[in-house]
């Protein structure tokens, strides 16, 4: 995309962004976004990534708030909170391939958002989970059957249903977001629609009359993709996928 | 009784909002798809009255392999009862007995369930459990009187038999809130104009409407219709007396 590319209507820019997502070209997807929204996203996330103002409570403080806890449980809880409070893992979790707050701060708004989108990509999440287990998802991911791992990493499918105007300067594209057909145990594919969600994407008119996506937290259903839960059903002794 | 206009998906959702604001739960129910009402009752009764699978040490260690076994055992021992308690008190509709619940029509069951998730009902349950004193109940009930202000923006077809209705809630931050204004002032260039266009942090949501055999429309039955499922009632015993009940948007 060049700086002069204009999108004349909301669905056109949405479809270009959707193709970029499917191609995992997150920089191009970010370039389809409203510059003010990208600046706000970067500003808010950098503030959030800095050291937390609240200290991790001590074991005694935890036990005072939850007197029914054992000391072992309070110690474990404190270790989990300390881990969650560390800056570098939080940067790595939010921004793909970025390893420090300084690196994050040096990114342009477009690059910052592109890295954030990539960090939500299931392929990225699974790859990271396999080699680096800082989060609980790692333990789950390693136990998933191979075909389910592949399904979760498939490129998402975006199906536009239509667009609704919201005043002169906004429009909302309504679309179905799906991870594609899920392989069954016998190699057949399950009904993809069962693993789809209805999402909306807000598009904003620019001063020159063109349209760009609002690139904030919820973008192109990528938060929706996180609502697909993978869990082990002990009673059935099998992995299940659910649409939260 | 609120009139349920089923002639068009947009008018239908507006009818539901009017019914909610009039506390007319039967009218809300009348706006719902009969098949979805049947499914709603079945799934709710299954959820409410089936015994939950007990949490096990093995499950915990599967999801968190680093968790010491003593901690897993402690969690299993202490979490079972509280989980069941929350489930029972917060989800059971006023007709608490399973026989009575099954005796209701799906439409009645939904109306009672919908009423049970509204803030006023939740506050009443907190009071019945003795978790709020009289003064707190009074202030909480005052808080629970609200008008759901939903802007229905339009609908798009989703095949021949369904439509997705798009709406914007009115729960977002307000320019009357000094904290929100300070936050706007701290945004980079263009940020304030962006949020003016977006109308604050208001959420865009959808509801699904189903075309009926007679050509009219009905909504999928859900206790989250029109965003009411996101209204949460919280209480915090550690804050100063009289201020620890509040309503907020849970998203």
């Amino acid at each position: 995309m060049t700086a002069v590319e204009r999108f004349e209507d909301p669905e056109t820019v949405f479809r270009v962004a959707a193709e970029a997502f499917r191609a995992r070209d997150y920089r191009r997807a970010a370039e389809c976004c409203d510059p003010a929204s990208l600046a706000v996203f970067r500003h808010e996330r950098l503030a959030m990534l800095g050291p937390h103002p609240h200290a991790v409570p001590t074991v005694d403080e935890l036990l005072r708030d939850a007197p029914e806890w054992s000391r072992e449980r309070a110690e474990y809880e404190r270790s989990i909170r300390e881990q969650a409070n560390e800056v570098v893992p939080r940067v790595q979790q939010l921004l793909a391939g970025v390893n420090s707050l300084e690196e994050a701060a040096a990114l342009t708004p477009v690059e910052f958002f592109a890295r954030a989108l990539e960090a939500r990509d299931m392929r990225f999440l699974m790859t990271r989970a396999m080699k680096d287990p800082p989060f609980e998802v790692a333990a789950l991911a390693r136990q998933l059957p191979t075909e389910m791992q592949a399904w979760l990493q498939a490129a998402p499918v975006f199906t536009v249903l239509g667009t609704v105007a919201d005043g002169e300067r906004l429009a909302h594209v309504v679309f179905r977001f799906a991870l594609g057909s899920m392989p069954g145990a016998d190699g057949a594919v399950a009904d993809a629609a069962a693993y789809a969600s209805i999402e909306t994407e807000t598009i904003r008119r620019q001063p020159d009359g063109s349209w760009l996506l609002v690139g904030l937290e919820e973008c192109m259903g990528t938060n929706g993709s996180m609502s697909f839960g993978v869990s082990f059903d002990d009673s059935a002794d099998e992995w299940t996928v659910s649409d939260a | 009784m609120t009139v349920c206009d089923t002639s068009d998906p947009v008018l239908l959702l507006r009818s539901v909002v009017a019914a909610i604001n009039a506390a007319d739960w039967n009218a809300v129910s009348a706006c719902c798809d009969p098949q979805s009402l049947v499914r709603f009752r079945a799934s709710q009764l299954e959820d409410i009255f089936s015994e939950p699978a007990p949490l096990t040490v093995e499950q915990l260690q599967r999801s968190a392999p680093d968790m010491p076994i003593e901690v897993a055992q402690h969690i299993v021992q202490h979490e079972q009862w509280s989980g069941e308690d929350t489930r029972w008190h917060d989800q059971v509709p006023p007709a608490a007995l399973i026989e009575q619940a099954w005796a209701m029509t799906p439409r009645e069951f939904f109306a009672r369930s919908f009423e049970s998730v509204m803030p006023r009902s939740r506050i009443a349950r907190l009071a019945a459990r003795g978790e709020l004193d009289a003064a707190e109940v009074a202030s909480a009930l005052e808080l629970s009187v609200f008008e759901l202000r939903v802007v229905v923006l339009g609908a798009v077809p989703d095949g021949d038999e369904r439509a997705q209705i798009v709406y914007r809630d009115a729960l977002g931050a307000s320019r009357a809130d000094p904290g929100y204004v300070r936050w706007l002032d701290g945004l980079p260039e263009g940020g304030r104009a962006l949020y003016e266009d977006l109308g604050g942090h208001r959420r865009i949501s959808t509801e699904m409407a189903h075309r009926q055999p007679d050509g009219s429309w009905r909504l999928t039955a859900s206790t989250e219709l029109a965003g009411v499922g996101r209204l949460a009632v919280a209480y915090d015993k550690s804050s100063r007396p009289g201020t620890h009940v509040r309503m907020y948007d849970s998203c």
Side-chain angles (χ1 to χ4, degrees):
Chain A
M1 176 182 159
T2 66
V4 295
E5 188 169 357
R6 284 169 48 93
F7 299 106
E8 298 296 338
D9 63 84
E11 285 190 21
T12 299
V13 67
F14 179 89
R15 291 179 199 282
V16 171
E19 275 311 303
F21 263 85
R22 286 184 56 74
R24 292 191 156 89
D25 184 349
Y26 295 111
R27 183 176 174 89
R28 179 160 172 76
E31 287 171 338
C32 293
C33 293
D34 173 79
S37 66
L38 296 185
V40 168
F41 182 85
R42 177 179 176 278
H43 172 84
E44 291 289 288
R45 289 302 170 276
L46 282 175
M48 190 183 83
L49 286 171
H52 281 186
H54 305 297
V56 175
T58 65
V59 169
D60 287 337
E61 286 169 336
L62 287 167
L63 286 171
R64 188 190 60 208
D65 291 343
E68 73 278 15
W69 283 13
S70 64
R71 178 158 287 273
E72 290 81 7
R73 183 170 177 188
E75 285 169 351
Y76 176 73
E77 180 67 24
R78 178 173 159 76
S79 73
I80 293 292
R81 294 194 193 186
E82 275 182 329
Q83 202 176 355
N85 209 30
E86 288 172 16
V87 172
V88 170
R90 286 192 288 125
V91 171
Q92 290 170 328
Q93 186 177 13
L94 180 74
L95 301 166
V98 180
N99 296 305
S100 72
L101 195 54
E102 292 72 25
E103 275 184 60
L107 297 173
T108 65
V110 166
E111 190 59 32
F112 192 96
F113 197 63
R115 300 295 186 102
L117 293 177
E118 185 179 354
R120 299 175 189 179
D121 184 321
M122 286 303 285
R123 179 181 291 179
F124 173 82
L125 286 168
M126 298 285 282
T127 304
R128 190 187 60 184
M130 294 299 171
K131 68 177 183 185
D132 180 19
F135 308 106
E136 290 183 0
V137 68
L140 288 170
R142 276 195 293 270
Q143 298 168 60
L144 283 174
T146 308
E147 68 272 16
M148 195 172 281
Q149 288 181 24
W151 175 73
L152 285 168
Q153 295 176 67
V157 177
F158 301 88
T159 307
V160 175
L161 299 178
T163 302
V164 169
D166 183 2
E168 294 292 314
R169 301 183 57 80
L170 296 179
H172 308 288
V173 174
V174 185
F175 63 102
R176 182 174 288 110
F177 178 93
L179 289 178
S181 299
M182 179 183 164
D186 58 356
V189 293
D191 180 7
Y195 301 101
S197 59
I198 299 294
E199 307 283 344
T200 60
E201 181 64 32
T202 299
I203 319 284
R204 186 182 187 216
R205 190 192 291 273
Q206 302 299 298
D208 66 357
S210 64
W211 293 85
L212 291 171
L213 273 64
V214 172
L216 290 172
E217 188 56 43
E218 296 183 18
C219 184
M220 300 294 288
T222 49
N223 269 3
S225 69
M226 301 309 161
S227 69
F228 287 93
V230 180
S231 59
F232 191 82
D233 182 346
D234 283 284
S235 59
D237 198 32
E238 66 181 13
W239 287 91
T240 59
V241 178
S242 60
D243 175 0
Chain B
M1 179 177 168
T2 313
V3 175
C4 179
D5 189 337
T6 61
S7 63
D8 166 272
V10 169
L11 297 176
L12 177 62
L13 185 57
R14 287 184 181 144
S15 296
V16 164
V17 173
I20 292 169
N21 285 332
D24 188 346
W25 317 122
N26 290 326
V28 174
S29 199
C31 291
C32 293
D33 172 65
Q35 289 182 19
S36 73
L37 288 170
V38 171
R39 284 196 300 272
F40 177 87
R41 183 177 68 168
S43 69
Q44 289 289 302
L45 290 177
E46 186 179 335
D47 284 352
I48 293 168
F49 294 109
S50 62
E51 278 298 311
L55 185 67
T56 65
V57 169
E58 291 71 28
Q59 280 175 325
L60 282 170
Q61 289 202 308
R62 191 196 296 277
S63 60
D66 296 337
M67 182 183 288
I69 191 161
E70 298 81 11
V71 174
Q73 287 167 340
H74 185 270
I75 290 173
V76 166
Q77 189 181 346
H78 285 79
E79 300 297 319
Q80 302 288 13
W81 183 84
S82 62
E84 193 165 344
D85 175 67
T86 301
R87 199 176 61 107
W88 182 261
H89 286 283
D90 288 347
Q91 293 185 25
V92 173
L97 298 175
I98 189 167
E99 294 80 7
Q100 285 182 4
W102 274 116
M104 292 179 187
T105 65
R107 187 183 278 197
E108 288 168 338
F109 182 87
F110 180 74
R112 302 291 290 276
S113 296
F114 201 86
E115 181 181 5
S116 79
V117 301
M118 297 304 285
R120 177 170 282 268
S121 303
R122 295 188 210 172
I123 292 163
R125 285 198 294 276
L126 288 175
R129 277 155 42 189
E131 296 184 32
L132 300 176
D133 62 32
E136 290 163 344
V137 170
S139 64
L141 287 175
E142 204 171 300
L143 269 177
S144 75
V145 177
F146 69 98
E147 182 185 7
L148 194 64
R149 285 165 297 172
V150 167
V151 179
V152 185
L153 298 169
V156 299
D158 183 3
D160 294 333
E161 304 302 322
R162 294 189 303 197
Q164 302 292 341
I165 312 165
V166 183
Y167 63 99
R168 177 156 41 90
D169 71 33
L171 293 168
S174 159
R175 294 292 293 274
D177 176 354
Y180 180 60
V181 173
R182 274 198 303 278
W183 178 79
L184 280 179
D185 287 343
L187 291 178
E189 187 181 352
R192 175 182 284 272
L194 171 68
Y195 278 94
E196 280 173 4
D197 280 358
L198 294 174
H201 280 95
R202 291 173 187 174
R203 188 181 174 88
I204 302 297
S205 303
T206 58
E207 299 291 352
M208 188 185 294
H210 303 258
R211 192 192 295 276
Q212 305 297 302
D214 65 359
S216 65
W217 292 89
R218 297 289 191 286
L219 294 168
T220 303
S222 158
T223 49
E224 298 185 357
L225 276 178
V228 294
R230 294 192 291 121
L231 286 174
V233 176
Y235 69 106
D236 174 11
K237 286 286 186 190
S238 64
S239 60
R240 64 188 168 87
T243 63
H244 67 243
V245 179
R246 63 192 177 92
M247 266 178 51
Y248 65 103
D249 180 350
S250 62
C251 285

